């Protein structure tokens, strides 16, 4: 069991600390012609995008070129400044896509919520809006009058797979799409993305929950189920079981808390099933902890019913915990090999449990046979 625990911990840690996909490199090599030359450029950390800009502080004008491949053929790209926050809501957006007659167009959107987009004026005056499609990449150009004092802006960028009736459809919610935001220092010529911190927070959430609900609680159940069969392990099995479950619960609550924090920072991003299972796990886990303090004595008439409750809730938590680990791995969008590694380790734990189950029954049956009174022979008169 210890070897399986170490292996699974290493696998989850490796999964969770996989760095985010590298952004496209080489913005300095991109050429837009002699009429479009920019003072600064930066390769953005998500969606293989780059941003070029020139800031005329005297006039308060920001000229930009945003370059990114759309989510699919016939998709769209967008870049925005958010003067009121760091996410999508409040973004003053420029979006480029191809319309029905084959032309590339740029439209503006004031993003006020998570519903369907409606073309609208934005908070900044715009000029020279244009777009082109070159070698599978969309290039969007424009000038925004941001003013003389807005020297650092919150930027958001995005790509989508389709356009319907001249309106960009909802984008994907992969890790890159969620993390495509950061800041742009117009004076220093520095662009930053939030992908590293966002990914790190998700990785911490994944590690805490995988180790707690997905590893420690199953191992604690194995201690309780099988070690108590051996008389020499009493009461050590009980303390091992309680310690393992309490540590698992504490770590799990920390993971649950990080999940709540991630949810509050990712408005509009819904992983409903994963979230609901997490809430159920927290509720049942908390119930188990409090039930420990209400455990009747062995000879109490209600002990039998308490045992039924304890086993039923405990196994439910273990099953839901393992299911939610798999759902979390899918949300993290890790390589299949890491999910396969987790499957292998769960199978190892399951194999250990089956082996111990067989040994337990052998010991129990042998004790019953040894303690049975002999029935043979006749009574002498």
């Amino acid at each position: 069991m210890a070897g399986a625990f170490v292996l699974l911990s290493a696998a989850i840690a490796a999964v969770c600390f996989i760095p985010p996909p590298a952004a496209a490199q080489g913005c300095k090599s991109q050429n837009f012609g002699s009429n479009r030359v920019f003072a600064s450029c930066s390769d953005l950390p998500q969606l293989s995008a780059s941003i070029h800009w020139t800031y005329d502080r005297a006039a308060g004008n920001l000229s930009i070129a945003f370059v990114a491949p759309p989510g699919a053929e016939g998709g769209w790209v967008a870049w925005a400044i958010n003067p009121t926050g760091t996410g999508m809501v409040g973004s003053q957006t420029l979006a480029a896509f191809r319309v029905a007659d084959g032309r590339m167009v740029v439209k503006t959107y004031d993003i006020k919520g998570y519903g369907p987009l409606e073309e609208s004026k934005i908070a900044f005056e715009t000029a020279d809006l244009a777009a082109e499609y070159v070698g599978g990449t969309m290039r969007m150009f424009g000038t925004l009058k941001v003013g003389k004092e807005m020297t650092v802006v919150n930027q958001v960028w995005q790509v989508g797979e389709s356009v319907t009736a001249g309106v960009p459809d909802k984008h994907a919610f992969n890790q890159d799409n969620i993390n495509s935001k950061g800041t742009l220092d117009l004076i220093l010529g520095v662009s930053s993305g939030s992908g590293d911190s966002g990914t790190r927070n998700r990785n911490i959430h994944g590690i805490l929950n995988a180790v707690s609900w997905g590893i420690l609680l199953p191992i604690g159940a194995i201690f309780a189920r099988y070690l108590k069969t051996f008389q020499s392990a009493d009461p050590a099995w009980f303390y091992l079981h309680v310690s393992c479950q309490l540590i698992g619960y504490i770590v799990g609550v920390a993971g649950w808390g990080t999940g709540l924090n991630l949810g509050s920072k990712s408005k509009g991003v819904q992983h409903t099933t994963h979230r609901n299972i997490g809430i159920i796990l927290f509720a049942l886990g908390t119930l188990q902890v409090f039930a420990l303090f209400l455990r009747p004595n062995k000879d109490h008439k209600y002990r039998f019913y308490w045992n039924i409750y304890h086993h039923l809730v405990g196994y439910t938590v273990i099953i839901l915990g393992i299911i939610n680990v798999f759902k979390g791995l899918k949300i993290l969008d890790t390589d299949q090999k890491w999910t396969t590694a987790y499957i292998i380790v769960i199978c190892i734990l399951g194999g250990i449990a089956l082996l111990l189950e067989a040994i337990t029954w052998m010991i129990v049956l042998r004790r019953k046979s040894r303690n049975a009174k002999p029935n043979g022979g006749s009574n002498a008169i």
Side-chain angles (χ1 to χ4, degrees):
M1 285 182 293
F5 173 77
V6 172
L7 179 58
L8 185 51
S9 299
I12 294 297
V15 169
C16 294
F17 282 113
I18 293 173
Q25 297 299 315
C27 71
K28 294 184 183 299
S29 66
Q30 295 171 343
N31 191 329
F32 307 114
S34 59
N35 294 329
R36 288 173 174 151
V37 179
F38 299 89
S40 304
C41 79
S42 178
D43 294 301
L44 300 173
Q46 285 84 29
L47 304 176
S48 301
S50 62
I51 181 71
H52 304 247
W53 74 95
T54 297
Y55 179 49
D56 182 353
R57 190 170 189 180
N61 291 334
L62 173 65
S63 298
I64 64 101
F66 176 72
V67 181
E73 184 73 25
W76 53 270
V77 303
W79 181 85
I81 293 176
N82 191 334
T84 61
T86 59
M88 185 176 75
V89 175
S91 296
Q92 307 302 296
T93 305
L94 305 179
F97 51 89
R98 194 185 298 277
V99 292
D101 61 9
R103 292 180 299 112
M104 289 293 297
V105 299
V106 177
K107 295 188 177 183
T108 59
Y109 301 90
D110 180 2
I111 309 296
K112 296 181 178 180
Y114 295 97
L117 292 180
E118 293 184 6
E119 185 178 3
S120 58
K121 291 184 178 181
I122 60 176
F124 310 109
E125 294 181 17
T126 60
D128 304 322
L129 299 181
E132 58 188 25
Y133 191 87
V134 179
T137 299
M138 287 187 177
R139 299 173 170 182
M140 179 172 61
F141 307 95
T143 298
L144 298 87
K145 194 171 188 62
V146 297
K148 300 179 182 180
E149 305 302 324
M150 189 176 287
T151 59
V152 178
V153 299
N154 295 321
Q155 63 173 339
V156 182
W157 63 98
Q158 197 55 258
V159 302
E161 298 182 351
S162 60
V163 176
T164 301
V167 179
D169 294 322
K170 182 184 294 186
H171 62 78
F173 285 90
N174 298 323
Q175 192 165 303
D176 261 15
N177 300 92
I178 295 171
N179 291 332
S180 55
K181 54 188 176 180
T183 60
L184 188 66
D185 192 315
L186 306 182
I187 302 298
L188 297 180
V190 177
S191 172
S192 69
S194 66
D196 290 343
S197 61
T199 300
R200 188 179 302 110
N201 291 337
R202 287 175 177 80
N203 294 340
I204 292 173
H205 171 70
I207 290 174
L208 292 175
N209 287 292
V211 170
S212 57
W213 309 110
I215 304 174
L216 289 176
L217 297 190
I219 291 177
I222 289 175
F223 285 149
R225 170 67 180 168
Y226 302 113
L227 290 188
K228 66 181 178 181
T229 304
F230 303 94
Q231 295 176 347
S232 59
D234 190 18
W237 70 265
F238 175 76
Y239 296 114
L240 284 171
H241 171 66
V242 171
S243 299
C244 202
Q245 304 306 77
L246 282 178
I247 293 172
Y249 173 74
I250 293 170
V251 175
V253 169
W256 185 71
T258 61
L260 292 179
N261 184 51
L262 286 170
S264 67
K265 292 180 178 180
S266 305
K267 297 184 183 300
V269 180
Q270 297 290 335
H271 301 295
T272 305
T273 303
H274 184 66
R275 179 196 63 193
N276 290 343
I277 292 177
I279 293 172
I280 293 171
L281 285 172
F282 171 74
L284 293 180
T286 302
L287 189 63
Q288 285 285 74
V289 170
F290 282 105
L292 177 65
F293 299 102
L294 300 175
R295 187 174 65 125
N297 294 327
K298 289 184 178 181
D299 56 352
H300 196 282
K301 63 179 181 179
Y302 291 125
R303 180 59 179 266
F304 173 76
Y305 302 103
W306 186 92
N307 286 341
I308 293 177
Y309 143 79
H310 186 64
H311 294 156
L312 180 62
V313 173
Y315 288 126
T316 299
V317 168
I318 290 172
I319 293 171
L320 289 178
I322 293 173
I323 290 173
N324 227 23
V325 169
F326 282 113
K327 290 191 174 295
L329 287 171
K330 185 176 181 180
I331 291 170
L332 283 174
D333 198 23
T334 60
D335 291 339
Q336 177 61 35
K337 62 183 179 181
W338 301 114
T339 302
T340 301
Y342 184 74
I343 292 173
I344 291 173
V345 175
I346 290 299
C347 288
I348 292 174
L349 288 176
I352 292 173
L354 287 175
L355 177 62
L356 291 175
E357 184 74 22
I359 294 174
T360 297
W361 277 104
M362 290 173 59
I363 293 175
V364 170
L365 292 175
R366 186 176 302 171
R367 284 177 182 168
K368 287 185 176 181
S369 177
R370 186 167 53 242
N371 294 334
K373 294 181 180 180
N375 295 322
S378 59
N379 294 325
I381 300 178

